[in-house]
Protein backbone atom coordinates (compact mmCIF):
# COMPACT_ATOMS: atom_id res chain seq x y z
CA UNK A 1 0.00 0.00 0.00
CA UNK A 2 2.90 2.33 0.75
CA UNK A 3 4.29 1.59 -2.66
CA UNK A 4 1.02 2.55 -4.26
CA UNK A 5 0.96 5.79 -2.27
CA UNK A 6 4.55 6.52 -3.24
CA UNK A 7 3.72 6.00 -6.87
CA UNK A 8 0.62 8.09 -6.78
CA UNK A 9 0.67 10.62 -9.63
CA UNK A 10 1.78 14.06 -8.55
CA UNK A 11 0.13 17.15 -10.03
CA UNK A 12 2.27 18.80 -12.61
CA UNK A 13 3.34 22.38 -12.43
CA UNK A 14 1.15 23.25 -15.39
CA UNK A 15 -1.93 21.74 -13.76
CA UNK A 16 -1.24 23.53 -10.50
CA UNK A 17 -1.01 26.86 -12.23
CA UNK A 18 -4.04 26.24 -14.41
CA UNK A 19 -6.46 25.82 -11.51
CA UNK A 20 -5.85 29.18 -9.84
CA UNK A 21 -6.05 30.82 -13.24
CA UNK A 22 -9.48 29.23 -13.82
CA UNK A 23 -10.70 30.32 -10.41
CA UNK A 24 -9.40 33.81 -11.02
CA UNK A 25 -11.16 33.98 -14.35
CA UNK A 26 -14.41 32.91 -12.80
CA UNK A 27 -13.97 35.33 -9.91
CA UNK A 28 -13.18 38.31 -12.10
CA UNK A 29 -15.19 38.19 -15.30
CA UNK A 30 -17.93 35.72 -14.34
CA UNK A 31 -18.87 37.44 -11.09
CA UNK A 32 -18.99 40.81 -12.78
CA UNK A 33 -21.41 39.57 -15.42
CA UNK A 34 -23.71 38.28 -12.68
CA UNK A 35 -24.17 41.83 -11.41
CA UNK A 36 -25.46 43.14 -14.73
CA UNK A 37 -29.06 41.72 -14.66
CA UNK A 38 -29.93 43.03 -11.17
CA UNK A 39 -28.21 46.32 -11.93
CA UNK A 40 -30.21 46.72 -15.16
CA UNK A 41 -33.41 45.81 -13.32
CA UNK A 42 -32.63 48.38 -10.63
CA UNK A 43 -31.98 51.12 -13.17
CA UNK A 44 -34.92 50.37 -15.47
CA UNK A 45 -37.49 49.27 -12.92
CA UNK A 46 -36.80 51.59 -10.01
CA UNK A 47 -34.41 54.44 -10.74
CA UNK A 48 -35.78 55.18 -14.21
CA UNK A 49 -39.44 55.72 -13.20
CA UNK A 50 -38.41 57.73 -10.14
CA UNK A 51 -36.24 60.03 -12.23
CA UNK A 52 -39.09 60.45 -14.72
CA UNK A 53 -41.51 61.40 -11.95
CA UNK A 54 -39.08 63.92 -10.46
CA UNK A 55 -38.42 65.45 -13.87
CA UNK A 56 -42.15 65.72 -14.64
CA UNK A 57 -42.82 67.41 -11.31
CA UNK A 58 -39.93 69.86 -11.56
CA UNK A 59 -40.74 70.86 -15.14
CA UNK A 60 -44.14 72.26 -14.16
CA UNK A 61 -43.39 73.69 -10.73
CA UNK A 62 -39.60 73.87 -10.40
CA UNK A 63 -37.46 71.91 -7.94
CA UNK A 64 -38.69 73.86 -4.91
CA UNK A 65 -42.26 74.28 -6.10
CA UNK A 66 -42.53 70.54 -6.59
CA UNK A 67 -42.54 70.16 -2.80
CA UNK A 68 -44.71 73.19 -2.00
CA UNK A 69 -47.35 73.07 -4.74
CA UNK A 70 -49.26 69.99 -3.41
CA UNK A 71 -49.80 71.72 -0.05
CA UNK A 72 -51.71 74.51 -1.82
CA UNK A 73 -54.40 72.02 -2.83
CA UNK A 74 -57.20 71.66 -0.30
CA UNK A 75 -58.09 68.26 -1.79
CA UNK A 76 -54.56 66.98 -1.25
CA UNK A 77 -54.40 68.29 2.32
CA UNK A 78 -57.72 66.63 3.24
CA UNK A 79 -56.62 63.39 1.62
CA UNK A 80 -53.24 63.51 3.37
CA UNK A 81 -54.85 64.01 6.78
CA UNK A 82 -57.36 61.23 6.07
CA UNK A 83 -54.53 58.94 4.94
CA UNK A 84 -52.54 59.55 8.13
CA UNK A 85 -55.28 58.69 10.58
CA UNK A 86 -56.52 55.80 8.42
CA UNK A 87 -52.98 54.34 8.35
CA UNK A 88 -52.72 54.81 12.11
CA UNK A 89 -56.05 53.06 12.71
CA UNK A 90 -55.15 50.21 10.37
CA UNK A 91 -51.79 49.83 12.14
CA UNK A 92 -53.46 49.73 15.56
CA UNK A 93 -56.03 47.12 14.54
CA UNK A 94 -53.43 45.07 12.69
CA UNK A 95 -51.10 45.22 15.70
CA UNK A 96 -53.70 43.83 18.10
CA UNK A 97 -54.84 41.09 15.73
CA UNK A 98 -51.29 40.33 14.61
CA UNK A 99 -50.02 39.74 18.15
CA UNK A 100 -53.00 37.50 18.95
CA UNK A 101 -52.54 35.57 15.70
CA UNK A 102 -48.80 35.11 16.32
CA UNK A 103 -49.49 33.85 19.84
CA UNK A 104 -52.04 31.42 18.43
CA UNK A 105 -49.43 30.16 15.96
CA UNK A 106 -46.95 29.61 18.77
CA UNK A 107 -49.36 27.92 21.17
CA UNK A 108 -51.37 25.81 18.73
CA UNK A 109 -50.66 22.17 18.01
CA UNK A 110 -48.71 21.30 14.89
CA UNK A 111 -51.72 20.47 12.70
CA UNK A 112 -53.65 23.58 13.71
CA UNK A 113 -50.53 25.70 13.34
CA UNK A 114 -50.17 24.51 9.73
CA UNK A 115 -53.78 25.46 9.05
CA UNK A 116 -53.28 28.92 10.54
CA UNK A 117 -50.14 29.42 8.46
CA UNK A 118 -51.99 28.32 5.33
CA UNK A 119 -54.80 30.81 5.96
CA UNK A 120 -52.25 33.54 6.59
CA UNK A 121 -50.26 32.90 3.43
CA UNK A 122 -53.38 32.87 1.28
CA UNK A 123 -53.11 36.64 1.60
CA UNK A 124 -49.83 36.45 -0.34
CA UNK A 125 -50.81 33.76 -2.82
CA UNK A 126 -54.13 35.26 -3.94
CA UNK A 127 -53.98 38.37 -6.10
CA UNK A 128 -54.57 41.68 -4.34
CA UNK A 129 -57.16 42.61 -6.95
CA UNK A 130 -59.04 39.35 -6.40
CA UNK A 131 -59.11 39.87 -2.64
CA UNK A 132 -60.33 43.44 -3.11
CA UNK A 133 -63.11 42.24 -5.40
CA UNK A 134 -64.07 39.76 -2.69
CA UNK A 135 -64.52 42.61 -0.24
CA UNK A 136 -66.51 44.54 -2.85
CA UNK A 137 -68.91 41.60 -3.18
CA UNK A 138 -69.25 41.42 0.59
CA UNK A 139 -69.77 45.13 1.24
CA UNK A 140 -71.78 46.27 -1.76
CA UNK A 141 -75.52 46.96 -1.39
CA UNK A 142 -77.47 43.70 -1.35
CA UNK A 143 -74.17 41.92 -0.81
CA UNK A 144 -73.23 39.16 1.60
CA UNK A 145 -72.98 41.32 4.72
CA UNK A 146 -76.19 43.20 3.97
CA UNK A 147 -77.99 39.90 3.46
CA UNK A 148 -76.63 38.56 6.74
CA UNK A 149 -77.65 41.72 8.59
CA UNK A 150 -81.20 41.47 7.22
CA UNK A 151 -81.40 37.78 8.09
CA UNK A 152 -80.33 38.42 11.68
CA UNK A 153 -82.69 41.39 11.97
CA UNK A 154 -79.86 43.87 12.57
CA UNK A 155 -80.89 46.24 9.78
CA UNK A 156 -83.69 46.36 7.27
CA UNK A 157 -81.86 48.58 4.79
CA UNK A 158 -78.42 46.99 5.05
CA UNK A 159 -75.25 48.16 6.76
CA UNK A 160 -74.25 50.74 4.13
CA UNK A 161 -70.52 50.04 4.42
CA UNK A 162 -69.69 50.08 0.72
CA UNK A 163 -67.36 52.94 -0.31
CA UNK A 164 -67.02 54.23 3.25
CA UNK A 165 -64.05 54.36 5.61
CA UNK A 166 -65.70 51.95 8.12
CA UNK A 167 -65.92 49.43 5.29
CA UNK A 168 -62.40 50.14 4.05
CA UNK A 169 -60.63 49.60 7.38
CA UNK A 170 -61.42 45.83 7.76
CA UNK A 171 -60.28 45.16 4.19
CA UNK A 172 -57.01 47.02 4.78
CA UNK A 173 -56.42 45.14 8.05
CA UNK A 174 -57.03 41.82 6.29
CA UNK A 175 -54.50 42.64 3.57
CA UNK A 176 -51.85 44.04 5.95
CA UNK A 177 -52.13 41.34 8.61
CA UNK A 178 -49.28 39.08 7.38
CA UNK A 179 -46.82 41.98 7.52
CA UNK A 180 -47.52 42.21 11.24
CA UNK A 181 -47.80 38.52 12.07
CA UNK A 182 -44.50 37.41 10.52
CA UNK A 183 -42.11 39.70 12.47
CA UNK A 184 -44.05 39.15 15.70
CA UNK A 185 -43.92 35.38 15.20
CA UNK A 186 -40.17 35.63 14.50
CA UNK A 187 -39.74 37.33 17.87
CA UNK A 188 -41.81 34.62 19.52
CA UNK A 189 -39.65 31.91 17.97
CA UNK A 190 -36.50 33.57 19.29
CA UNK A 191 -37.81 33.41 22.85
CA UNK A 192 -35.65 31.15 25.05
CA UNK A 193 -37.80 28.37 26.63
CA UNK A 194 -35.45 28.42 29.62
CA UNK A 195 -36.78 31.86 30.51
CA UNK A 196 -40.32 30.52 30.63
CA UNK A 197 -39.29 27.56 32.79
CA UNK A 198 -37.33 29.83 35.12
CA UNK A 199 -40.28 32.20 35.52
CA UNK A 200 -42.66 29.32 36.30
CA UNK A 201 -40.19 27.75 38.74
CA UNK A 202 -40.08 31.05 40.64
CA UNK A 203 -43.85 30.95 41.07
CA UNK A 204 -44.98 33.29 38.29
CA UNK A 205 -48.46 32.66 36.93
CA UNK A 206 -49.43 32.52 33.27
CA UNK A 207 -50.43 36.19 33.04
CA UNK A 208 -47.26 37.32 34.83
CA UNK A 209 -45.11 35.23 32.49
CA UNK A 210 -46.97 36.70 29.52
CA UNK A 211 -46.51 40.27 30.75
CA UNK A 212 -42.88 40.07 31.90
CA UNK A 213 -41.32 37.52 29.53
CA UNK A 214 -43.37 36.93 26.38
CA UNK A 215 -44.63 40.42 25.52
CA UNK A 216 -41.20 42.12 25.90
CA UNK A 217 -39.79 39.56 23.47
CA UNK A 218 -42.54 40.40 20.97
CA UNK A 219 -42.08 44.18 21.23
CA UNK A 220 -39.28 44.57 18.62
CA UNK A 221 -41.14 42.47 16.07
CA UNK A 222 -44.38 44.34 16.74
CA UNK A 223 -42.59 47.67 16.25
CA UNK A 224 -41.12 46.46 12.95
CA UNK A 225 -44.49 45.22 11.73
CA UNK A 226 -46.21 48.44 12.80
CA UNK A 227 -43.78 50.58 10.81
CA UNK A 228 -44.13 48.39 7.73
CA UNK A 229 -47.94 48.40 7.91
CA UNK A 230 -48.09 52.16 8.48
CA UNK A 231 -45.71 52.96 5.63
CA UNK A 232 -47.49 50.64 3.19
CA UNK A 233 -50.89 52.04 4.19
CA UNK A 234 -49.74 55.56 3.35
CA UNK A 235 -49.31 54.66 -0.32
CA UNK A 236 -51.95 51.96 -0.75
CA UNK A 237 -54.03 52.45 -3.90
CA UNK A 238 -55.99 49.41 -5.13
CA UNK A 239 -58.19 48.70 -2.12
CA UNK A 240 -59.00 52.37 -1.32
CA UNK A 241 -59.77 52.97 -5.01
CA UNK A 242 -62.42 50.20 -5.04
CA UNK A 243 -63.79 50.45 -1.50
CA UNK A 244 -63.38 54.16 -0.79
CA UNK A 245 -66.03 56.60 -1.92
CA UNK A 246 -65.68 60.15 -3.30
CA UNK A 247 -65.71 61.57 0.22
CA UNK A 248 -63.09 59.15 1.54
CA UNK A 249 -60.25 59.59 -0.92
CA UNK A 250 -56.73 58.95 0.29
CA UNK A 251 -53.50 60.40 -1.07
CA UNK A 252 -52.87 57.61 -3.56
CA UNK A 253 -56.36 57.86 -5.08
CA UNK A 254 -56.03 61.65 -5.38
CA UNK A 255 -52.76 61.16 -7.27
CA UNK A 256 -54.46 58.59 -9.51
CA UNK A 257 -57.30 61.01 -10.24
CA UNK A 258 -54.90 63.85 -11.09
CA UNK A 259 -52.96 61.58 -13.42
CA UNK A 260 -55.86 59.73 -15.07
CA UNK A 261 -58.98 61.90 -15.22
CA UNK A 262 -57.47 65.36 -14.90
CA UNK A 263 -54.41 64.62 -17.09
CA UNK A 264 -52.40 66.76 -14.67
CA UNK A 265 -49.09 64.94 -15.00
CA UNK A 266 -47.02 67.62 -13.27
CA UNK A 267 -49.38 67.90 -10.30
CA UNK A 268 -49.62 64.13 -9.90
CA UNK A 269 -45.83 63.83 -10.09
CA UNK A 270 -45.35 66.52 -7.44
CA UNK A 271 -47.82 64.82 -5.09
CA UNK A 272 -46.10 61.50 -5.70
CA UNK A 273 -42.69 62.95 -4.87
CA UNK A 274 -44.01 64.44 -1.62
CA UNK A 275 -45.57 61.09 -0.67
CA UNK A 276 -42.37 59.23 -1.57
CA UNK A 277 -40.12 61.56 0.43
CA UNK A 278 -42.43 61.41 3.46
CA UNK A 279 -42.62 57.62 3.33
CA UNK A 280 -38.88 57.12 2.91
CA UNK A 281 -38.13 59.63 5.64
CA UNK A 282 -40.46 57.89 8.05
CA UNK A 283 -38.93 54.51 7.31
CA UNK A 284 -35.35 55.78 7.67
CA UNK A 285 -36.11 57.36 11.04
CA UNK A 286 -37.88 54.22 12.25
CA UNK A 287 -35.05 52.01 11.03
CA UNK A 288 -32.52 54.26 12.77
CA UNK A 289 -34.18 53.97 16.18
CA UNK A 290 -36.10 50.66 15.98
CA UNK A 291 -33.75 48.62 13.74
CA UNK A 292 -36.57 47.58 11.39
CA UNK A 293 -34.29 45.97 8.81
CA UNK A 294 -32.71 43.74 11.46
CA UNK A 295 -36.13 42.52 12.57
CA UNK A 296 -37.12 41.57 9.02
CA UNK A 297 -33.89 39.60 8.60
CA UNK A 298 -35.13 37.28 11.34
CA UNK A 299 -38.41 36.47 9.55
Amino acid sequence: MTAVLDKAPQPSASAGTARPRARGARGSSGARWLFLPPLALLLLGLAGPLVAVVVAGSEDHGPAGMFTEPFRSALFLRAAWRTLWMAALVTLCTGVLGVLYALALGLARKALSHVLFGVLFLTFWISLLVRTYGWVLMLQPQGALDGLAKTLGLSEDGLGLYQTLPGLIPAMVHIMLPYMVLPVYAGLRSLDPAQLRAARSLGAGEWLVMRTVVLPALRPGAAAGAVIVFVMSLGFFVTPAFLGGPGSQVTATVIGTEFGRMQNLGGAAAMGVVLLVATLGLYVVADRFLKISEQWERV
Side-chain angles (χ1 to χ4, degrees):
M1 180 178 295
T2 56
V4 174
L5 291 176
D6 291 338
K7 295 180 180 180
Q10 299 295 328
S12 62
S14 60
T17 57
R19 290 180 181 177
R21 188 179 298 114
R23 286 197 298 267
R26 289 195 299 268
S28 60
S29 62
R32 292 174 183 175
W33 282 104
L34 291 176
F35 285 106
L36 290 180
L39 182 60
L41 181 62
L42 180 65
L43 292 176
L44 296 177
L46 180 61
L50 289 180
V51 171
V53 170
V54 172
V55 170
S58 60
E59 283 182 349
D60 285 6
H61 308 291
M66 180 174 55
F67 293 97
T68 60
E69 184 66 24
F71 294 98
R72 299 176 183 176
S73 171
L75 178 62
F76 178 81
L77 292 177
R78 287 195 301 268
W81 171 248
R82 190 180 298 114
T83 303
L84 285 174
W85 74 260
M86 183 202 71
L89 183 58
V90 169
T91 303
L92 177 62
C93 296
T94 307
V96 174
L97 294 177
V99 171
L100 294 177
Y101 203 103
L103 290 174
L105 287 173
L107 298 175
R109 295 181 178 180
K110 189 174 182 180
L112 180 57
S113 178
H114 289 169
V115 173
L116 293 176
F117 264 116
V119 173
L120 181 68
F121 279 104
L122 281 176
T123 305
F124 288 124
W125 296 335
I126 299 177
S127 169
L128 172 63
L129 188 60
V130 173
R131 283 175 280 145
T132 302
Y133 271 127
W135 278 99
V136 170
L137 294 176
M138 290 179 60
L139 297 175
Q140 68 179 352
Q142 309 302 323
L145 287 182
D146 280 2
L148 180 62
K150 293 177 181 179
T151 301
L152 298 177
L154 300 177
S155 175
E156 296 182 357
D157 301 327
L159 300 177
L161 295 177
Y162 183 57
Q163 291 190 338
T164 63
L165 280 177
L168 175 61
I169 298 299
M172 293 282 292
V173 171
H174 164 245
I175 293 171
M176 295 295 178
L177 188 61
Y179 299 99
M180 177 66 71
V181 174
L182 292 178
V184 174
Y185 182 73
L188 183 64
R189 294 277 295 180
S190 65
L191 184 64
D192 188 1
Q195 294 179 325
L196 300 177
R197 292 193 296 267
R200 292 193 183 99
S201 65
L202 294 174
E206 295 295 333
W207 287 108
L208 184 59
V209 172
M210 179 70 68
R211 190 176 71 252
T212 59
V213 179
V214 177
L215 291 182
L218 303 183
R219 191 175 296 121
V227 172
I228 294 296
V229 170
F230 186 80
V231 168
M232 293 184 64
S233 298
L234 290 179
F236 218 73
F237 174 77
V238 175
T239 304
F242 282 90
L243 295 177
S248 57
Q249 286 186 318
V250 295
T251 306
T253 57
V254 171
I255 294 174
T257 302
E258 291 290 326
F259 179 77
R261 297 179 185 176
M262 306 300 294
Q263 295 295 313
N264 184 11
L265 181 59
M271 294 178 185
V273 170
V274 170
L275 178 61
L276 176 63
V277 171
T279 302
L280 290 180
L282 177 62
Y283 182 83
V284 169
V285 172
D287 187 54
R288 173 66 176 82
F289 292 99
L290 301 177
K291 308 297 182 183
I292 304 302
S293 57
E294 295 180 6
Q295 296 300 321
W296 274 96
E297 290 175 359
R298 299 165 54 187
V299 177

